[in-house]
Amino acid sequence: MAWYDALFLLIGMVIGLMALGVPVAFAFMATNLAGALIFIGGESAILQVVDNSSSLITRFQLAPVPFFIFMGSLFFHSGLAIRVFDTLDKFFGRVPGRLCYVTVAGGTIFSTLTGSSMANTAMLGSLMVPEMQRRGYHWRMSLGPILGTGGLAMIIPPSTLGVLLASLAGIDVGRFLIAGIIPGFMLACFFAVLITVQIWMNPKLTPNYEIERVSLRRGLKLAVTNIAPMGLVVFMVIGLIIFGVATPTESAAFGVAGVLILSIIFRLFSIKVVKDSMLSTIKVSAMVFFIILNSSIFSQLLAYSGASAGLLGFATSFDVSVGAVLVMIFLALLLLGMFMDPVSIMLITIPIFFPLVHALHIDPLWFGILMLISLEMSQTTPPFGLLLFVMLGVAPKGTTLRQVAFAAAPFLACDLVLVGLMTLFPAIVLFLPGLM
């Protein structure tokens, strides 16, 4: 079978099954079984798939995933997140549009403690939108910052999606997580600047209202009490990796321990909190590992059938610049993101794009961050951007998809600015991993 026939057959089966409503993981599993029978044949094909499965999900590189998910669940279910937002709200005082800045600051902190964009967007939406609507904020200012900041959890470590991408692409997980720090915080700063410009251009977007005055001494006390401890947890997760003290798995375990200790200190710990967090972790982790298993087998089938090598040869046969190839990949990811979720996109594209990246001598760390940013942007692009629908689920009744997408558009422009700067200055991504 020609390589292009094998490629269209495998990818066509996956897309066709998902179009019929089959869950992503099961669509890949069915494709893997059918592909193994076609390209390997006989009973040995099924045995080969089964033998490969256990080794694919028992790799040490995947150990941080359940820890990061558990840490984020504890942070949310214990109520520590609400303490952070309440403190930030008082700290910003009478700044115009202060709740927008609170959203960006709090969402960035929450990103470093969850690793889930869906959880980030859902929590920000449920906490901030009702309050901003009650205060009289324009819908653009109540929805846009949340959609922009919600996606930061894909980039800022610990990113569950980042761990998944690094594992599937064969990149060092610790170095890849650290590579997202500077781009993630630069993006948060861009969001704050954008909000300032929007308010300056149209002050009516944010209301003026009386709030309780908080003295500098009390504000600092609240910051030290409620925000500084979270910084310690962030250091336990990120700092230990940067300084080489701990592996990603060990730092993730330290992070869980840190959140547990904080919940006990603030008297927010309970058996129910642990139970709810563990149940959430088990459900999400099982889904992630099942997806990794099926994706890895899918990659092996692409290689065995000759589809990967054939596509790589075809893509490198054109006399085009590396920049043109990157632009086409970037646009392809955005296009796929309009109709598919990030995990599905990663499952399909990583076995195709990363061999091409290596052939073009592009740094895989840099490209991985570019891919995460592309996926983050794709989640806020209509018609099927996942974060758009998460926001619709927590937004006030009457909010339309058009309003949500329009509010997100300026924040997508910030992503494009970051991509441009990363292209001009790759050190934005590569500097911190280079220190490790």
Side-chain angles (χ1 to χ4, degrees), residues 37-288:
L37 290 172
I38 293 170
F39 296 110
I40 302 175
E43 184 181 349
S44 60
I46 306 300
L47 292 176
Q48 186 67 43
V49 170
V50 174
D51 288 341
N52 288 350
S53 298
S54 59
S55 61
L56 291 172
I57 58 173
T58 53
R59 291 176 291 173
F60 183 71
Q61 301 97 307
L62 297 178
V65 172
F67 282 112
F68 285 149
I69 296 171
F70 188 41
M71 184 173 64
S73 298
L74 280 172
F75 186 65
F76 179 75
H77 287 291
S78 66
L80 287 169
I82 296 175
R83 293 179 67 96
V84 171
F85 278 94
D86 287 343
T87 301
L88 288 172
D89 186 35
K90 293 180 173 64
F91 194 74
F92 276 96
R94 295 173 174 265
V95 175
R98 67 190 177 91
L99 291 183
C100 297
Y101 296 107
V102 168
T103 299
V104 173
T108 302
I109 294 172
F110 192 53
S111 294
T112 64
L113 295 165
T114 63
S116 169
S117 288
M118 288 184 62
N120 210 20
T121 304
M123 193 209 71
L124 290 172
S126 58
L127 283 178
M128 303 304 298
V129 171
E131 180 65 16
M132 294 169 87
Q133 292 286 324
R134 187 177 69 84
R135 297 284 189 180
Y137 279 70
H138 191 276
W139 55 267
R140 279 172 54 193
M141 302 305 292
S142 61
L143 302 178
I146 294 173
L147 285 165
T149 310
L152 286 177
M154 282 191 190
I155 306 168
I156 297 177
S159 166
T160 303
L161 203 65
V163 174
L164 180 58
L165 189 152
S167 301
L168 295 177
I171 304 172
D172 182 271
V173 174
R175 287 170 58 83
F176 186 66
L177 289 175
I178 296 306
I181 294 177
I182 295 178
F185 283 100
M186 283 181 64
L187 200 53
C189 293
F190 291 165
F191 291 160
V193 172
L194 173 62
I195 291 168
T196 303
V197 172
Q198 287 179 314
I199 295 172
W200 175 72
M201 293 179 65
N202 188 358
K204 293 182 180 179
L205 293 175
T206 55
N208 291 318
Y209 50 87
E210 290 297 322
I211 60 171
E212 176 190 357
R213 285 183 176 273
V214 178
S215 65
L216 178 61
R217 182 178 179 180
R218 184 167 175 242
L220 291 175
K221 181 180 178 181
L222 288 170
V224 169
T225 303
N226 295 331
I227 297 180
M230 307 304 165
L232 178 61
V233 175
V234 172
F235 174 79
M236 293 169 73
V237 175
I238 300 174
L240 295 180
I241 298 177
I242 292 179
F243 294 113
V245 176
T247 65
T249 303
E250 292 165 345
S251 66
F254 277 119
V256 171
V259 175
L260 277 172
I261 292 170
L262 288 180
S263 66
I264 294 171
I265 291 174
F266 290 119
R267 298 183 180 179
L268 298 171
F269 179 85
S270 69
I271 299 299
K272 184 178 185 303
V273 167
V274 176
K275 181 181 177 182
D276 291 343
S277 300
M278 292 188 70
L279 285 174
S280 175
T281 302
I282 291 169
K283 291 177 182 177
V284 177
S285 299
M287 177 191 69
V288 169

